[in-house]
Amino acid sequence: MRVISASDVDRVLSYTALADALARTFAEGVQAPTRHHHTIERPDGADTTLLLMPAWSDFCARGTSADGYIGVKLVTVSPDNNALAKPAVMGVYILSDGQTGEPLALIDGQALTVWRTATASALAGRYLARKNASSMAMLGAGRLAPHLIRAHAAMRPISHVTLWNRSRGNADAVAEALRDDPFEVRVVEDREEAIRDADIISSATISETPLIDGRWLKPGAHVDLVGAFTPKLRESDDETVRRATLFVDTFDGALSEGGDLVQPIAAGIVSRDDVKADLAMLASGTHPGRTSDDEITLFKSTGCALEDFAAGILVYETVTGAA
């Protein structure tokens, strides 16, 4: 079994190659049962959540294999880890031979997750953002922020980025990390300023109150909502979902877990029928995506096992030359 580290993942992946792999896998489809949630009770009351995300198929990210693969991501969420200076979310990805079940690779799950999450958003941007999109607003300055910026910039001609975060210091750190990238990054204190002129607005936070006011969106804007991964969280307001054409990564995940759609649908602001397509429909050409330069589009993601599966195969085959 090959052990593939975070640095290996960073070394072999590119946003364009991963986006292509995700598109092919969404278009072909895989077997991906609903992820398993288990609460592990602890004596101190700070329970840990165990998530299991399996997928399998005979379709490889770079071709067809007679045997195929089986993959599963194991994730633990321990909210009190911050007090120990450790990430709250830990994870590994296990890729196995589809015929024999032999374990092939143990892949760093945290690195794989940020890559696939950011690239899924950028893939959606291929279909939903204007082709000449050159400006981007990034809300949030966590580990995903630089990946989201770079991923969108790999799909569209982004030349300048405005970055907003509640903590200015964290935003400054992200801007510094992107200093050598081929686009300008400017940290701002005013969210409205960041959003009004942006062609793409990406948000990756755990906010419980909306950060994006729909009145600030210019015609043709694309909104990419990555955070708010539970029904109680929300990054966009009612006016945003009213004005936008709505898309999701998966219907099952986004419509049951993503607060940006769960809440306004429950309140009758929009309906399930207003969500026009998922990534599988976009990747397969079943839905055309953006239909005009003035259309406002919104993509809500909550993540899915298919994305980890496609990314895990691509990493394994690139590292080992197994394709």
Side-chain angles (χ1 to χ4, degrees):
M1 181 174 65
R2 189 71 172 261
V3 176
I4 301 176
S5 68
S7 60
D8 291 329
V9 173
D10 292 340
R11 175 175 55 83
V12 302
L13 284 183
S14 73
Y15 300 109
T16 52
L18 181 51
D20 291 344
L22 288 172
R24 287 192 292 268
T25 309
F26 269 110
E28 290 286 332
V30 300
Q31 297 297 318
T34 302
R35 59 187 170 195
H36 303 255
H37 292 247
H38 300 281
T39 299
I40 300 173
E41 297 181 357
R42 292 163 41 189
D44 58 7
D47 295 343
T48 293
T49 300
L50 173 65
L51 305 177
L52 306 175
M53 300 173 65
W56 60 90
S57 175
D58 61 356
F59 177 78
C60 297
R62 302 205 302 186
T64 301
S65 165
D67 299 330
Y69 294 101
I70 300 168
V72 61
K73 186 165 74 172
L74 290 79
V75 177
T76 56
V77 183
S78 303
D80 58 334
N81 276 5
N82 289 335
L84 304 173
K86 295 179 182 292
V89 180
M90 304 283 193
V92 295
Y93 196 80
I94 301 173
L95 189 69
S96 301
D97 183 278
Q99 182 175 12
T100 67
E102 175 188 4
L104 300 173
L106 182 69
I107 306 172
D108 184 274
Q110 291 157 289
L112 196 73
T113 298
V114 293
W115 271 94
R116 65 80 151 156
T117 302
T119 307
S121 281
L123 174 63
R126 277 187 180 176
Y127 309 111
L128 303 178
R130 290 168 51 181
K131 294 188 184 301
N132 64 349
S134 61
S135 59
M136 178 177 176
M138 182 71 233
L139 309 183
R143 188 178 180 188
L144 261 174
H147 279 278
L148 283 163
I149 293 169
R150 286 170 172 153
H152 280 292
M155 308 297 152
R156 291 293 185 260
I158 302 297
S159 59
H160 55 280
V161 178
T162 51
L163 177 59
W164 176 90
N165 190 60
R166 284 194 173 94
S167 167
R168 174 66 185 252
N170 290 345
D172 288 336
V174 171
E176 177 63 21
L178 298 171
R179 182 177 59 179
D180 295 330
D181 284 77
F183 42 76
E184 173 194 9
V185 181
R186 184 168 59 94
V187 176
V188 298
E189 301 283 354
D190 185 351
R191 283 200 317 277
E192 182 177 353
E193 177 188 353
I195 292 169
R196 275 199 180 276
D197 295 327
D199 296 317
I200 297 173
I201 302 98
S202 187
S203 186
T205 74
I206 54 171
S207 180
E208 294 185 358
T209 57
L211 301 173
I212 300 170
D213 188 323
R215 298 171 300 176
W216 301 342
L217 300 174
K218 70 178 185 179
H222 171 58
V223 180
D224 171 39
L225 302 177
V226 185
F229 52 86
T230 76
K232 294 182 179 180
L233 304 178
R234 194 166 181 188
E235 297 183 301
S236 63
D237 69 353
D238 289 344
E239 185 64 12
T240 300
V241 295
R242 279 195 194 100
R243 295 187 66 192
T245 307
L246 307 176
F247 300 87
V248 295
D249 57 348
T250 65
F251 288 112
D252 288 346
L255 296 181
S256 63
E257 298 179 355
D260 287 285
L261 293 178
V262 170
Q263 292 184 35
I265 288 174
I269 305 301
V270 293
S271 73
R272 164 63 180 78
D273 292 339
D274 290 314
V275 182
K276 299 303 182 184
D278 64 2
L279 267 179
M281 297 170 67
L282 292 170
S284 65
T286 304
H287 191 284
R290 171 177 290 273
T291 57
S292 74
D293 281 348
D294 288 339
E295 182 181 15
I296 294 173
T297 54
L298 183 152
F299 174 69
K300 176 57 194 163
S301 66
T302 52
C304 65
L306 179 152
E307 296 165 2
D308 298 299
F309 187 65
I313 293 170
L314 180 60
V315 167
Y316 171 73
E317 292 187 345
T318 305
V319 167
T320 63

